Amino acid sequence: MDKSKIRNFSIIAHIDHGKSTLADRMLEETQSVALRDMENQILDNMELERERGITIKAHAVTLGYTAKSGEEYIFNLIDTPGHVDFNYEVSRSLAACEGAVLVVDSSQGIEAQTLANTYLAIDAGLEILPVLNKIDLPSADPERVVHEIEDIIGIPAEDAPRISAKTGLNIGEVMERIVTDIPAPAGDDNKPLQALIFDSYYDAYKGVIVYVRIKEGKVKSGDTIKMMATGAEFDVVECGYMQATSLLPKNELCAGEVGYITASIKDVRLTQVGDTVTLAENPATEPLAGYRAVQQMVFCGIYPADGAHYSDLRDALEKLQLNDASLTYEAETSIALGFGFRCGFLGLLHMEIIQERLEREYNLDLVTTAPSVVYHIRLTNGEELSIDNPTNYPDPTLIAGAEEPIADAHIYSPAEYVGNIMELCQERRGTFITMDYLDTDRVDIHYHLPLNEIIYDFFDALKSRSRGYASFDYELKGYVQSKLEKLDIMINGEVVDALSFIVHAEKAYPRARKMVEKLKENIPRQLFEIPIQACIGGKIIARETVKALRKDVLAKCYGGDITRKKKLLEKQKEGKKRMRQIGSVEVPQEAFMSVLKLDE
Amino acid sequence: MIYIHVPFCDSKCPYCDFFSLPADESKIDEYAKAVTAQMEEYKSGNIEAQTVYFGGGTPSIIGAKRLAELLKGASQVFRVSETAEITVEVNPTFVDYPFFRALREAGVNRISMGMQSAIDSELKRLGRRHSKADVESAVRAAQRTGFENISLDIMLGLPDSSTESLNESIGFAASLGIQHISSYMLKLEENTPFYGMNLNLPDDEGTAEQYLFCVEELGKQGFGQYEISNFSKPGFESRHNLIYWHDEEYLGFGPSAHSFYKGRRFYCPRDMSAFLRGEKIDDGEGGSFEEFVMLGLRLSEGITRKSCEARFANGGTLYDTLLERSEALIHGTKNPQRMFTADKNRICLTPEGFLLSNTIISKLLP
C-alpha cells in the first residue's frame, strides 16, 4: 500500500451539528454502502446513539475514494465518541489520525464540546479542516462562525467548505480537501510493530475485534502479538479493513493503515484502549505515548426492581462489559434493595447510557441509588481511604480530614442566561474563574465545580435555566480539602441504606429538606402514619410525615361483578411487588428514583 | 339466586356508570323476550332459586306487568321456593299504589328504593328527579300494599354534604319504618359527567368521617351493619347480596349481568345487541380461597375457621395461613386492633378496617 494515498481522519462536532450525517454522505459519496442498506447515520449503530444523536462508541470505516485527479485514495474515517466522559477514548481515536474535520453548525457556532475536542486534536498535532454545516438553514450565518473559529480556535477558516450534510451540498469539496489538506501517514514497515488500540468490541464468533492504527511495522495472521500494558499474548487469526457493514480480511496491515485484528481474545479488558500492540518476537522497545488505565469517576448502586431478576441483571452487566472495559461492577447487598451491583462509570453520561441500555436492550426494570464520586478520607490513625459508597463511610470521630474531587468546567451560553447560570454555579458551590465573550452574544463561563455537585442533576438544571441553549464541558482538575458529612434517611424509624449519601456540610440541610419532601410525595399513604427523617450522626435535621391512609374501599358490588374486585386486588398485589419493604412500610421504586432529581 | 339486569332508565344520573339505555318500548319488548328465552336454556338444570333480584338500571320503569311476566318466566324455569326473597329495585319517581300492589300480587316481597338522600338540594345536585316527599309517598304506598321488607339507598360523600346533612337523611329513612339501608360512598367513575367536574366533595378524611358516623348512627336506630355498605334490622339482611359475599353461585341475565355457575364465572357484555345475540364472555374459574376471603372480609361476620373448613378440603390449613398473615400485619402495624381482629376462630374487619379494606385484603392475600 502506498502510504501517500492514505488519509486517516476523524470528525469533530457538537451534538446535532451533523457529524453522523456528514459521515453518511461520505459513505454514499464513496459508494461504500449499497443505497438499499443505507440507513440514516449508519455509523451510530446502537439504537441509543441514533436516538440521542450522539456517538457512544468509536467506530471506524475504510473508504475507497477516487479523487478528481483520478487517483485512488484510502480514507480511514474514525468516528469519535462525542462526550467528555469519553475524553480519553477521544484522545486515543485522535492519536490514530493525522487530521480532523471540524464540523460547526453555521447557525449555532462553536459549542463547549467542539472546542474541548478540537483542543485535544490540536494537542495531538492533527491538521484541522473546518467545515461549515447546515448552510441551507435560514438562520445560517457562516461569516460569523468563520470569525468565531478564527478568533477562538485560532485557525484560518475563510476558505472552509460551506456544506449541507443533509442535502449533500458541497460534500465533494470536503472529500477533495481531505486529500489536499490532511497529511498522509508516516511510518516504517520494517520497524518493530507498534499498533495503537483505539477501540475494541466483542463478537460472539471471533472474540474481541481490536481496532488499531499501525504506527510502525506490520502485522499478519499467524503472528504472535503482545499487548504492552497488559502483557497478554495472542496469535493473530485475522486482520483487515473495517467496511461500512462488514469486515474485509487482508493478508497484512502495514504502517499508516487502520484496521482490525482478531486473535480469539475472550476478554475485552485485555485490549485496553490506548495500549500498544507489538510482536512477541522482535517487540518494540517502547510503547506508544499516552496510555492511561481506565479510571471510574462516578459510582452508583444498580438493583433490579424485582429481586427475582438479579441474575438477569448480572448477565446483562457481563454482556455490556464485554464491549465496554470502562464499566466496572461488583456485587453488593442493600438492606432496602436486596442484591444488586455497585457500578463504576467514566462519568455521568456513561452512567446514564449504561442504565438506559440495561433497561432497553435487556428489558430490566431498575432501581438506582444516588451517584457518588470518589472521596479521599484521611483517618486519625493516618490511614487514607478512597470512598465511593456511603455505606463504607467511616465513623465521623475517626476522620481527620476529607478531600473531594473538583472539576474544571466551561459553560458556553448565550449572554442572556449568564445570570441564571452563575446563580446555578454559585448554588453548586462553584468558584468563578473567568468569563470570556466569544462574540457579542456568546459567553464562555469558566468555573471550578465540585464534581459531586455536577453528578446529581446539574445538566438538567443547566438546560432548564438556559432554555437548552447552554453547553457544558468539564474535566477532573484534582482534589481539594472539604468538609463532608454522611446523611442518612430514616423511614418509620429505620435507616434506609440505599438512600444514604455523602454531602458537603453546607449542603446537608437543604438536601435533607428536599429529600424528605420528595419522599413524602412519593411514598403512598399506608395503614399508619410514617415519619420520614433525615439525620446526620443520629441527629435529626429534617422531618416530614406521610399521613395514615383513610379510605381505600370498593363500596359497591354491582350485579355480582366479582371480577372487577378481583382485578383491583390483582392490581394492588402487582403494585406491591414493585414495592420495597422497609420494616412494615412499603416504599415504591419511584421514591428511590425521585431523590435523584431534586432540582425539579 | 337469579339476577335480572333491567338496563333502562328514564334519564342517566351524572355519577352513574352502570349500563342503561333510554326506555324505548320496542327495545324493552325485545329485551324481555330475550331474558325469558335465555332463562329457558337452563330448564333442564333443575335449579332452585332462593332469591330473585331485579336490578338496574331502573327496573320500575318497565312497569309492574312486564316485571311480573319476567318473574313468571323465571318461575317456570327455576324452582322459586315459597320462601324465596324476591326484590325489585325501584326509583321513587313514578311508582304508586297500583304498581306496588301488582308487584305483590306477582310474588315480589322486597323493595329496594334509590332514595340516595333526604335533602332536596343534594338530590338535585345528583341529577335525581325525585324529592324527599316522593320517597315518603312511595314508601308509604309500598307499605300499604303489604311490603314489610323495604330497603333504602343512602349515598355518602356527596357534593356539599356533611355529617349533619347525612344525619338528616338517616333520621328520615329510619322514621319511615323500613327494614334495610344500603349506604354507599360516592365514587367518581371515569366516563361519567361527574368525573372531572369541579364538585365540592368532602376529602377522604371527610368521607371517612361520614362513613363512621353512618355506621354509628344506623346502629343507634337499630340497623346493624352486616357488610361494608349494608345495614338491616335483625333478620332482614339481603339474602341475595349475601350469596355474593358468601361466594356462592348465581345466574345473571341481561346486558352486563354476571354469573357464577358450575364453578365458572361469565358475563354478558355491556351491550344490548350482544345480549340479544346471547353472547357470553368467560371470566375464568370462580370460588378460589382468595375470592372467598376477598368477599368474606366484606362482611361483619368475617371469615371463620368453620366456614373455611366447610368450604375447602384443606380449609383449616388455609385459615391458619390467613391467620398468620393477619397476625403479622397486626404486629407490623401501629394500633391495628382499630381495623381488624383475628383469632383462632374468626378474622373480621371493624368499620375503620372496612374503610381500608382494599389495602388490608391485598396484604392478607399472598
Side-chain angles (χ1 to χ4, degrees):
Chain A
M1 184 73 222
D2 178 1
K3 292 187 206 333
S4 70
K5 296 292 189 296
I6 300 176
R7 295 293 180 271
N8 299 319
F9 64 95
S10 67
I11 305 178
I12 295 173
H14 186 70
I15 292 168
D16 282 344
H17 281 201
K19 178 175 70 169
S20 300
T21 317
L22 176 59
D24 286 351
R25 289 296 95 80
M26 288 181 172
L27 294 182
E28 274 178 8
E29 191 83 5
T30 55
Q31 286 162 20
S32 298
V33 187
L35 276 179
R36 67 189 142 80
D37 293 335
M38 195 70 202
E39 228 178 309
N40 274 341
Q41 307 188 351
I42 198 149
L43 286 184
D44 286 346
N45 50 26
M46 263 190 263
E47 188 191 2
L48 206 60
E49 292 184 320
R50 292 218 186 102
E51 206 173 273
R52 288 198 173 201
I54 53 170
T55 307
I56 296 165
K57 276 185 75 69
H59 303 276
V61 62
T62 299
L63 313 169
Y65 175 64
T66 310
K68 291 218 173 85
S69 63
E71 290 187 278
E72 302 280 338
Y73 284 86
I74 292 281
F75 280 10
N76 289 308
L77 163 57
I78 298 173
D79 193 15
T80 58
H83 191 273
V84 58
D85 287 1
F86 309 107
N87 243 344
Y88 171 68
E89 283 72 5
V90 176
S91 79
R92 294 307 83 203
S93 292
L94 293 174
C97 304
E98 278 74 38
V101 176
L102 169 63
V103 181
V104 184
D105 183 322
S106 55
S107 66
Q108 295 196 2
I110 293 175
E111 299 286 350
Q113 191 58 57
T114 328
L115 201 57
N117 283 348
T118 307
Y119 284 144
L120 280 178
I122 291 172
D123 289 348
L126 266 55
E127 185 66 35
I128 309 292
L129 169 58
V131 166
L132 306 181
N133 192 20
K134 305 197 186 181
I135 58 155
D136 55 322
L137 292 183
S139 57
D141 187 356
E143 283 315 308
R144 178 179 71 89
V145 176
V146 162
H147 288 133
E148 231 179 68
I149 294 172
E150 292 185 341
D151 291 352
I152 300 167
I153 302 175
I155 55 169
E158 195 44 62
D159 60 349
R162 287 155 164 75
I163 69 162
S164 166
K166 200 174 120 200
T167 66
L169 179 71
N170 291 340
I171 301 300
E173 192 186 337
V174 178
M175 303 300 272
E176 285 298 309
R177 290 288 294 275
I178 288 169
V179 171
T180 55
D181 288 23
I182 292 177
D188 182 346
D189 294 358
N190 298 316
K191 279 194 180 172
L193 175 67
Q194 279 182 311
L196 171 70
I197 301 179
F198 63 87
D199 196 17
S200 60
Y201 72 94
Y202 186 81
D203 178 273
Y205 300 104
K206 296 185 172 177
V208 179
I209 295 178
V210 191
Y211 284 12
V212 292
R213 157 70 195 273
I214 313 289
K215 291 284 190 179
E216 303 287 352
K218 54 187 172 187
V219 65
K220 60 181 187 306
S221 56
D223 284 349
T224 301
I225 49 169
K226 182 180 178 180
M227 310 296 162
M228 294 186 81
T230 61
E233 292 192 6
F234 304 97
D235 292 331
V236 175
V237 174
E238 190 181 298
C239 59
Y241 287 167
M242 284 78 80
Q243 292 184 309
T245 50
S246 60
L247 296 173
L248 175 69
K250 288 197 66 208
N251 292 333
E252 57 179 14
L253 290 174
C254 297
E257 289 189 294
V258 171
Y260 70 91
I261 299 172
T262 67
S264 300
I265 305 168
K266 296 282 169 269
D267 188 347
V268 77
R269 277 169 294 188
L270 296 173
T271 57
Q272 299 260 354
V273 168
D275 197 356
T276 304
V277 184
T278 192
L279 294 180
E281 286 175 37
N282 187 24
T285 49
E286 291 279 322
L288 297 162
Y291 170 73
R292 200 177 78 196
V294 212
Q295 200 190 355
Q296 284 74 29
M297 295 230 279
V298 178
F299 292 79
C300 79
I302 297 186
Y303 292 81
D306 179 350
H309 293 141
Y310 171 77
S311 58
D312 298 340
L313 175 58
R314 190 190 51 217
D315 293 349
L317 284 167
E318 216 167 82
K319 281 189 189 136
L320 285 181
Q321 203 184 43
L322 279 178
N323 276 318
D324 185 352
S326 48
L327 165 70
T328 61
Y329 64 93
E330 56 184 54
E332 74 167 359
T333 317
S334 147
I335 302 163
L337 300 176
F339 292 104
F341 296 93
R342 190 77 187 167
C343 300
F345 309 94
L346 296 174
L348 264 190
L349 180 81
H350 188 215
M351 177 176 80
E352 277 176 34
I353 288 165
I354 295 295
Q355 288 173 2
E356 252 187 86
R357 291 188 65 188
L358 287 170
E359 289 182 339
R360 281 161 45 160
E361 293 169 31
Y362 297 91
N363 244 329
L364 291 163
D365 210 357
L366 303 175
V367 179
T368 55
T369 65
S372 174
V373 299
V374 183
Y375 297 98
H376 292 165
I377 307 283
R378 207 174 60 258
L379 298 182
T380 45
N381 67 7
E383 205 184 322
E384 301 210 347
L385 303 173
S386 286
I387 300 287
D388 66 65
N389 189 341
T391 310
N392 302 330
Y393 198 75
D395 187 300
T397 58
L398 302 176
I399 297 175
E403 290 185 341
E404 66 172 324
I406 297 289
D408 191 45
H410 285 270
I411 298 161
Y412 286 60
S413 168
E416 60 174 311
Y417 303 113
V418 166
N420 287 351
I421 291 167
M422 289 183 67
E423 198 183 306
L424 173 67
C425 291
Q426 294 303 134
E427 279 168 26
R428 302 300 177 108
R429 300 190 286 123
T431 308
F432 176 77
I433 306 299
T434 54
M435 184 165 84
D436 294 314
Y437 273 81
L438 302 176
D439 55 41
T440 51
D441 183 47
R442 288 168 43 75
V443 183
D444 167 11
I445 309 164
H446 184 186
Y447 261 90
H448 288 168
L449 284 162
L451 190 61
N452 83 352
E453 296 285 344
I454 296 177
I455 60 171
Y456 284 98
D457 49 5
F458 183 81
F459 200 61
D460 290 341
L462 180 66
K463 285 284 170 200
S464 70
R465 294 190 199 193
S466 67
R467 297 176 170 219
Y469 282 111
S471 66
F472 167 63
D473 188 37
Y474 70 90
E475 61 183 342
L476 189 63
K477 184 177 165 285
Y479 276 76
V480 298
Q481 285 282 344
S482 176
K483 194 164 163 17
L484 303 173
E485 305 205 272
K486 183 188 174 198
L487 206 139
D488 291 314
I489 298 288
M490 296 201 295
I491 294 180
N492 203 26
E494 291 191 38
V495 172
V496 184
D497 56 0
L499 292 173
S500 296
F501 58 94
I502 300 164
V503 63
H504 188 266
E506 229 174 68
K507 301 303 276 298
Y509 178 73
R511 275 289 291 280
R513 189 73 246 142
K514 274 190 180 162
M515 290 269 292
V516 295
E517 283 167 11
K518 279 275 179 182
L519 287 168
K520 184 195 173 181
E521 275 171 39
N522 285 280
I523 296 177
R525 291 182 171 203
Q526 298 178 29
L527 294 176
F528 48 90
E529 192 176 279
I530 305 161
I532 300 170
Q533 296 155 308
C535 49
I536 293 173
K539 187 178 162 238
I540 290 160
I541 61 168
R543 176 188 164 127
E544 285 285 341
T545 306
V546 178
K547 284 211 222 156
L549 182 67
R550 206 60 189 100
K551 177 176 151 276
D552 178 25
V553 54
L554 199 55
K556 193 157 189 175
C557 177
Y558 157 55
D561 183 0
I562 306 301
T563 317
R564 187 166 164 184
K565 282 199 194 328
K566 273 209 270 194
K567 279 189 187 137
L568 188 85
L569 185 67
E570 286 308 315
K571 216 170 112 190
Q572 236 156 355
K573 287 202 291 191
E574 203 48 50
K576 204 163 65 177
K577 265 197 215 154
R578 299 210 330 275
M579 298 274 197
R580 297 291 171 162
Q581 197 77 32
I582 311 283
S584 45
V585 180
E586 284 170 353
V587 181
Q589 189 181 329
E590 298 78 56
F592 290 96
M593 304 306 276
S594 71
V595 299
L596 303 181
K597 296 208 164 162
L598 294 178
D599 202 65
E600 280 166 5
Chain B
M1 24 13 245
I2 304 299
Y3 176 78
I4 297 172
H5 188 78
V6 184
F8 300 102
C9 278
D10 180 38
S11 67
K12 189 103 195 151
C13 301
Y15 57 88
C16 176
D17 81 330
F18 290 0
F19 180 70
S20 74
L21 298 167
D24 172 270
E25 280 299 318
S26 64
K27 267 268 176 283
I28 295 173
D29 279 339
E30 223 178 338
Y31 154 83
K33 262 186 216 138
V35 170
T36 312
Q38 289 183 23
M39 287 196 292
E40 269 172 16
E41 292 167 20
Y42 291 92
K43 191 141 198 174
S44 57
N46 190 29
I47 299 165
E48 191 185 337
Q50 288 288 344
T51 67
V52 179
Y53 195 105
F54 292 88
T58 312
S60 50
I61 209 164
I62 66 170
K65 187 165 164 270
R66 278 211 193 78
L67 289 167
E69 280 166 10
L70 286 171
L71 180 55
K72 195 174 158 203
S75 317
Q76 283 166 354
V77 176
F78 308 107
R79 290 186 289 117
V80 180
S81 72
E82 288 283 308
T83 57
E85 175 191 279
I86 300 169
T87 308
V88 172
E89 285 183 355
V90 306
N91 189 317
T93 331
F94 312 126
V95 286
D96 50 13
Y97 182 85
F99 171 82
F100 288 117
R101 194 181 52 200
L103 288 189
R104 274 220 63 85
E105 279 167 5
V108 176
N109 53 25
R110 188 170 181 271
I111 295 294
S112 172
M113 193 182 295
M115 171 176 98
Q116 318 309 359
S117 165
I119 315 287
D120 284 345
S121 60
E122 285 181 1
L123 288 170
K124 204 168 169 193
R125 196 68 196 274
L126 284 172
R128 304 291 295 192
R129 298 193 172 183
H130 68 268
S131 63
K132 177 183 173 186
D134 293 335
V135 174
E136 181 162 5
S137 57
V139 170
R140 296 283 177 239
Q143 285 168 333
R144 277 204 309 281
T145 62
F147 279 102
E148 287 169 349
N149 190 354
I150 297 175
S151 175
L152 292 179
D153 288 349
I154 294 179
M155 285 179 90
L156 308 179
L158 296 178
D160 301 317
S161 66
S162 62
T163 47
E164 287 73 37
S165 64
L166 176 63
N167 191 27
E168 218 176 305
S169 294
I170 291 172
F172 172 71
S175 74
L176 295 175
I178 51 148
Q179 291 71 32
H180 188 280
I181 287 176
S182 296
S183 182
Y184 302 111
M185 283 167 261
L186 173 67
K187 180 168 181 287
L188 294 187
E189 303 283 358
E190 266 178 272
N191 310 319
T192 62
F194 260 27
Y195 194 82
M197 259 166 81
N198 189 16
L199 302 166
N200 180 26
L201 292 170
D203 59 7
D204 281 0
E205 184 60 49
T207 306
E209 198 191 326
Q210 286 190 24
Y211 177 77
L212 296 174
F213 173 82
C214 177
V215 173
E216 196 189 330
E217 193 55 32
L218 284 173
K220 283 185 200 160
Q221 304 272 3
F223 294 90
Q225 180 171 30
Y226 68 97
E227 194 260 352
I228 291 179
S229 308
N230 286 290
F231 306 80
S232 77
K233 293 275 172 72
F236 286 93
E237 295 82 7
S238 160
R239 283 158 56 194
H240 184 81
N241 280 335
L242 282 173
I243 285 167
Y244 297 144
W245 312 133
H246 285 147
D247 205 17
E248 287 163 21
E249 299 200 338
Y250 51 90
L251 280 171
F253 299 92
S256 83
H258 287 247
S259 299
F260 176 24
Y261 182 61
K262 292 194 170 166
R264 297 298 296 180
R265 292 195 179 274
F266 54 90
Y267 64 93
C268 175
R270 286 171 68 111
D271 174 349
M272 182 58 93
S273 45
F275 161 69
L276 294 175
R277 286 196 300 273
E279 233 170 79
K280 295 275 187 320
I281 294 171
D282 184 71
D283 211 5
E285 211 166 301
S288 65
F289 180 67
E290 262 199 21
E291 204 177 86
F292 181 74
V293 171
M294 177 186 89
L295 296 165
L297 286 179
R298 295 182 63 90
L299 294 167
S300 300
E301 67 186 37
I303 299 284
T304 61
R305 175 185 297 277
K306 252 189 208 157
S307 64
C308 288
E309 282 168 350
R311 175 75 178 251
F312 300 96
N314 58 341
T317 320
L318 290 171
Y319 183 85
D320 287 336
T321 314
L322 189 67
L323 181 59
E324 232 170 79
R325 294 184 71 91
S326 306
E327 280 166 347
L329 185 58
I330 286 177
H331 185 72
T333 312
K334 297 168 197 165
N335 190 20
Q337 281 78 3
R338 189 166 64 83
M339 301 176 204
F340 71 110
T341 57
D343 61 32
K344 61 186 198 308
N345 295 319
R346 186 189 299 275
I347 300 165
C348 60
L349 305 194
T350 65
E352 288 263 5
F354 284 144
L355 274 170
L356 298 167
S357 51
N358 288 346
T359 306
I360 294 174
I361 291 169
S362 75
K363 280 175 182 288
L364 291 185
L365 292 172

